[in-house]
Amino acid sequence: MTIQDITNELEKWAPLDYAEDFDNTGLLVGDKTAEVTGILVTLDCLEIVLDEAIEKNCNLVVSFHPILFSGLKKITGKNYVERAVTKAIKNDIAIYAIHTALDNHHKGVNDIICDKLGLENRKILIPQEKTIKKLTTYVPEKDADSVRNALFKVGAGNIGNYSNCSFNSSGTGTFRGNEVSNPVIGERGKTQFEQEIQLNITFSKHLESKILQTLFKTHPYEEVAYEIVSLENLNQQIGIGMTGELPTAVSELEFLDLLKKTFHTGCVRHSEFIGKSIKKVAVLGGSGAFAIEKAKQENADVLVTADLKYHDFFKAEKSILLADIGHYESEQFTKNSIHSLLTKKIRNFAPALPKSRVILSETNTNPIH
């Protein structure tokens, strides 16, 4: 089993297409063809984590945060990033980061926070734009069913709780092949009139390569006419942050106490109390100041996030409670989710590697005390 096998499984779960543009996700260090000896799952890939990987004979570290975030012009060991990268390379350890690909997954970071708080009726706070595409193609009537079903099989036509969704209209297509063409229907140099089905079908953007491969493989024509456009439709399954509701409303102080106990933090920084019961909760793991206005638009009673600056707290404007629980604290359970997924996947497709070789890091990487 190779590192590529593992990263393929991670990307089926959290496709890198949905990571934010500013991010650096995927395989950051290492040879994807290397055989896996063990996998260490962590929140941050620091030198001390790599020491743990060496000790436990793991040559793949799956990290939530990317140790390489911006470009390096030199690797001389002058800072913690360069030292970690050097140690990984010297010891043939690959580093994979999943970060905002999992932030934007509907069962990712923010869903985990909602689980911990017991929130119901969840939905994405800020849906990601342009994640849905539409394919339009033209297929001879007799071949329309086979092409359509092949596209369904690879994931096209899924809309919310529905699958096999498409729109089909009949019409007459025309074409004339030149002297080097090899038309499946008709003859070279003669205009062919053919009854065709215009097939319209939507798909998630990370499937585009697979959709086109399937179209070209199953479509009978030598030259396949098709169009792909990005839609403005919002995909409620992809995006950052989440809202949900507590089963029973609680006071502001009771809710802050719940946060302290649930996320094991000695301090919750918060905006002033406004005398409002807490029922609807918005959450955004990691740095979430940019979501304050959206949380207010969604009529959330509180936004639970991290890394709020002094002036961010003014934005509460007596209409929402802002609660900063800390960056590490908001994402601390993410590595458990990644570990759980990999353990299940390996049990299914690589029984030769015991599940005990997928190891949850014991290193606390929180830099704030």
Side-chain angles (χ1 to χ4, degrees):
M1 184 180 56
T2 66
I3 287 169
Q4 181 77 72
D5 293 327
I6 299 299
T7 61
N8 285 345
E9 291 303 316
L10 287 167
E11 288 166 23
K12 286 178 187 176
W13 181 42
L16 300 185
D17 295 77
Y18 303 119
E20 297 294 330
D21 291 341
F22 64 79
D23 203 5
N24 189 29
T25 55
L27 187 63
L28 306 183
V29 175
D31 177 5
K32 66 182 180 182
T33 66
E35 290 289 322
V36 175
T37 61
I39 306 164
L40 186 69
V41 182
T42 182
L43 193 67
D44 304 281
C45 187
L46 307 175
E47 276 188 279
I48 191 170
V49 173
L50 290 163
D51 288 334
E52 183 182 5
I54 293 166
E55 178 188 347
K56 295 176 179 176
N57 193 30
C58 295
N59 67 340
L60 172 60
V61 174
V62 176
S63 176
F64 178 66
H65 291 128
I67 185 64
L68 284 170
F69 197 77
S70 54
L72 292 178
K73 292 186 176 181
K74 298 177 182 178
I75 305 179
T76 60
K78 69 179 180 182
N79 58 45
Y80 77 98
V81 174
E82 294 180 13
R83 289 192 294 273
V85 171
T86 300
K87 180 162 284 191
I89 293 171
K90 280 184 175 180
N91 292 278
D92 291 325
I93 297 174
I95 302 173
Y96 183 93
I98 199 166
H99 206 206
T100 57
L102 192 55
D103 274 321
N104 283 313
H105 193 286
H106 72 286
K107 289 293 184 183
V109 176
N110 297 293
D111 192 61
I112 295 167
I113 297 174
C114 290
D115 280 342
K116 294 296 180 182
L117 293 174
L119 302 185
E120 305 169 338
N121 305 319
R122 304 173 195 179
K123 72 171 191 174
I124 298 293
L125 177 62
I126 307 175
Q128 197 176 82
E129 297 180 352
K130 299 186 185 302
T131 65
I132 302 174
K133 295 193 173 188
K134 183 178 75 170
L135 167 70
T136 299
T137 189
Y138 308 86
V139 190
E141 285 186 340
K142 66 182 181 63
D143 300 294
D145 285 346
S146 60
V147 172
R148 187 188 308 109
N149 290 333
L151 292 169
F152 288 156
K153 191 173 181 179
V154 295
N158 292 329
I159 302 176
N161 295 322
Y162 295 84
S163 60
N164 292 15
C165 303
S166 69
F167 185 80
N168 306 266
S169 55
S170 298
T172 303
T174 66
F175 52 87
R176 181 174 64 188
N178 62 22
E179 64 276 6
V180 295
S181 65
N182 187 25
V184 176
I185 300 171
E187 301 177 32
R188 294 177 190 165
K190 292 185 178 180
T191 300
Q192 175 73 19
F193 290 80
E194 184 67 25
Q195 287 303 113
E196 295 178 332
I197 297 294
Q198 183 191 69
L199 172 62
N200 298 276
I201 191 166
T202 59
F203 60 91
S204 296
K205 71 174 184 178
H206 73 279
L207 296 174
E208 182 168 339
S209 177
K210 188 179 291 185
I211 294 295
L212 288 177
Q213 288 175 11
T214 302
L215 175 64
F216 299 149
K217 182 178 179 180
T218 57
H219 198 293
Y221 285 171
E222 181 182 24
E223 298 285 355
V224 181
Y226 71 95
E227 306 156 30
I228 290 179
V229 296
S230 295
L231 303 181
E232 295 297 327
N233 307 32
L234 291 180
N235 184 344
Q236 295 299 330
Q237 299 296 303
I238 299 292
I240 204 158
M242 192 164 278
T243 61
E245 296 178 342
L246 292 166
T248 305
V250 298
S251 71
E252 292 166 298
L253 186 57
E254 287 174 320
F255 183 75
L256 294 180
D257 280 337
L258 173 64
L259 289 179
K260 283 189 67 173
K261 293 172 184 174
T262 302
F263 296 96
H264 314 300
T265 178
C267 173
V268 178
R269 299 165 63 238
H270 62 86
S271 58
E272 66 175 309
F273 286 161
I274 53 179
K276 185 179 182 182
S277 294
I278 302 298
K279 175 71 172 175
K280 187 171 185 180
V281 180
V283 304
L284 200 154
S287 304
F290 65 90
I292 293 173
E293 293 306 318
K294 182 61 174 176
K296 288 161 69 173
Q297 290 170 18
E298 293 296 319
N299 296 314
D301 301 314
V302 62
L303 170 63
V304 180
T305 188
D307 298 344
L308 297 181
K309 296 180 180 179
Y310 177 84
H311 290 95
D312 292 328
F313 286 98
F314 288 119
K315 297 175 184 177
E317 296 187 289
K318 299 184 185 294
S319 63
I320 191 172
L321 178 66
L322 302 177
D324 184 335
I325 62 174
H327 197 121
Y328 173 88
E329 287 76 9
S330 70
E331 297 173 338
Q332 63 186 296
F333 303 113
T334 306
K335 68 178 185 179
N336 301 73
S337 182
I338 299 169
H339 176 263
S340 177
L341 172 99
L342 284 175
T343 301
K344 291 174 185 175
K345 291 292 183 183
I346 285 176
R347 187 183 299 131
N348 291 338
F349 82 92
L353 186 72
K355 68 177 182 179
S356 60
R357 299 306 303 144
V358 184
I359 299 170
L360 187 64
S361 174
E362 298 177 54
T363 304
N364 183 334
T365 59
N366 188 1
I368 300 171
H369 300 273

